[in-house]
Every structure is written in C-alpha cells, then in structure tokens.
Amino acid sequence: CEPKGKWGCGDDCKCEEGYFAKGGRCKKIPAFCGDGEVNQDDEECDSNGKHFCGDDCKCVDGYFAKNGRCFPVPAYCGDGKINQKWEECEKDLTDNCSDKCECDDGYKPDG
C-alpha cells in the first residue's frame, strides 16, 4: 500500500484495522450497524446483537444506552410494572393506588 505510514497504510505496508486494500491504497471501511463501533448518529450501541444491543444497533426493550453500551432501566414506582418487593400496586394499573405505589387507606393488594 502507499503511502507508507499514512491514510491507513501501516509501516509494514499492510492496511491498518478499519481499512481495506484497493488499487494499491488503503480505503477506510465505511461505518455500518454491526461493525462493532458506535460510529453513526443513529446508533445507540453496536455489539452485533450481544449485550442487550439489538440487530438494529438500538438497545432492546428495558435497556437504555450510555457511552455506547446498554444498561437495564432501573425498576421504579410508576414504571407501569409491579416489579419491586415493596410495591403494593402501580398507579397506572390499579385504582386506589398512591404515588408511592402503596394501596390507599382501606384497600389492600390483590393476591
């Protein structure tokens, strides 16, 4: 490859990582979902369907993106799911439920 040491051409005259050889020169591999790097504006993650990153380079449901990785959305009162030991109810799912996910006075959780 030419010129040695520039434009992705290593000192050993082989294309560096992220480049491919074409016509004696190294060309940059275009960014795409699935290339293992978060290098496009619409990518939240890019780990080829692993680590809760979907094939579309977006975090799967229940996960959020931070610094190119997917983390679980923490469970909390008001998330529409009874998913904490201390939650008696969810306001959006149940009548007579407080903002603290506790049953109103005179009511008790189902079950």
Side-chain angles (χ1 to χ4, degrees), residues 25-95:
R25 300 207 177 244
C26 295
K27 306 278 184 181
K28 186 154 182 68
I29 296 172
F32 63 95
C33 175
D35 64 4
E37 293 183 41
V38 179
N39 50 14
Q40 296 182 90
D41 291 340
D42 63 340
E43 288 183 324
E44 293 180 343
C45 56
D46 194 333
S47 54
N48 299 321
K50 299 177 190 167
H51 309 292
F52 307 102
C53 182
D55 292 335
D56 61 353
C57 292
K58 306 267 188 243
C59 294
V60 297
D61 284 345
Y63 288 77
F64 71 97
K66 182 176 181 181
N67 298 326
R69 295 182 56 205
C70 297
F71 297 92
V73 173
Y76 61 93
C77 174
D79 64 0
K81 300 173 188 164
I82 300 172
N83 49 14
Q84 297 292 313
K85 288 190 291 187
W86 52 265
E87 284 184 301
E88 295 179 342
C89 56
E90 269 288 336
K91 191 174 168 181
D92 293 341
L93 302 175
T94 313
D95 293 331

Side-chain angles (χ1 to χ4, degrees), residues 88-89 94-97 102-111:
E88 295 179 342
C89 56
T94 313
D95 293 331
N96 306 307
C97 186
E102 298 170 344
C103 293
D104 293 337
D105 287 341
Y107 293 88
K108 61 182 184 175
D110 292 334

